[in-house]
Amino acid sequence: MFYAINWFLSLALLALWSLACWALHAVTVWVVSSAGALAGGSAVADVILMPAWLKAWMPPELMGQWEALVSSAGPIVQAVLEAVPALAGAVTFLAWALWGLGAVVLVALAAGIHILIALAQRRGGGPGTPQAALAR
């Protein structure tokens, strides 16, 4: 019974790990592949950097400082955004490597718990066998 519980929980964790890795990979590839579109113009960058609903609530002085900060960092951001789409292949490799490492750790942990259950049953004699009384 403990073996079944162990492996069921381990496989459920592996399924959740796989789902999390897949979702993170999908979001990362989407962000990386669409980063090149942001490098095209400043209008898109303005929409992404400061939403309109937030601009309405910001004081004009703070908005001016924010725009000065963004414009001073513009060339750096432009260079990074132009280089990011080339990293899409590396993201896929990294996602597979990270998933594989996590899967190996989860399966090793499940095998270790399996061995511990076997040792505990061997040492305890299993359920239904009388235990020795403690002597004083």
Side-chain angles (χ1 to χ4, degrees):
M1 176 72 170
F2 290 119
Y3 295 116
I5 292 171
N6 172 42
W7 286 104
F8 175 76
L9 290 176
S10 298
L11 291 177
L13 283 174
L14 184 61
L16 287 174
W17 173 249
S18 298
L19 181 66
C21 285
W22 170 78
L24 186 63
H25 174 260
V27 168
T28 306
V29 166
W30 173 71
V31 167
V32 167
S33 63
S34 65
L38 293 178
S42 62
V44 177
D46 286 341
V47 170
I48 289 188
L49 291 177
M50 189 60 61
W53 63 268
L54 189 57
K55 284 183 180 180
W57 290 93
M58 289 183 69
E61 301 85 25
L62 183 62
M63 197 60 202
Q65 291 176 354
W66 176 255
E67 288 174 356
L69 176 73
V70 169
S71 65
S72 68
I76 297 169
V77 172
Q78 182 79 17
V80 169
L81 288 176
E82 288 173 356
V84 165
L87 300 175
V91 168
T92 302
F93 174 76
L94 183 64
W96 274 107
L98 188 65
W99 176 84
L101 182 66
V104 166
V105 167
L106 284 173
V107 170
L109 186 64
I113 293 172
H114 184 97
I115 291 170
L116 286 176
I117 292 170
L119 290 175
Q121 284 184 347
R122 186 175 300 151
R123 187 184 242 3
T129 56
Q131 299 291 326
L134 293 175
R136 285 187 172 201

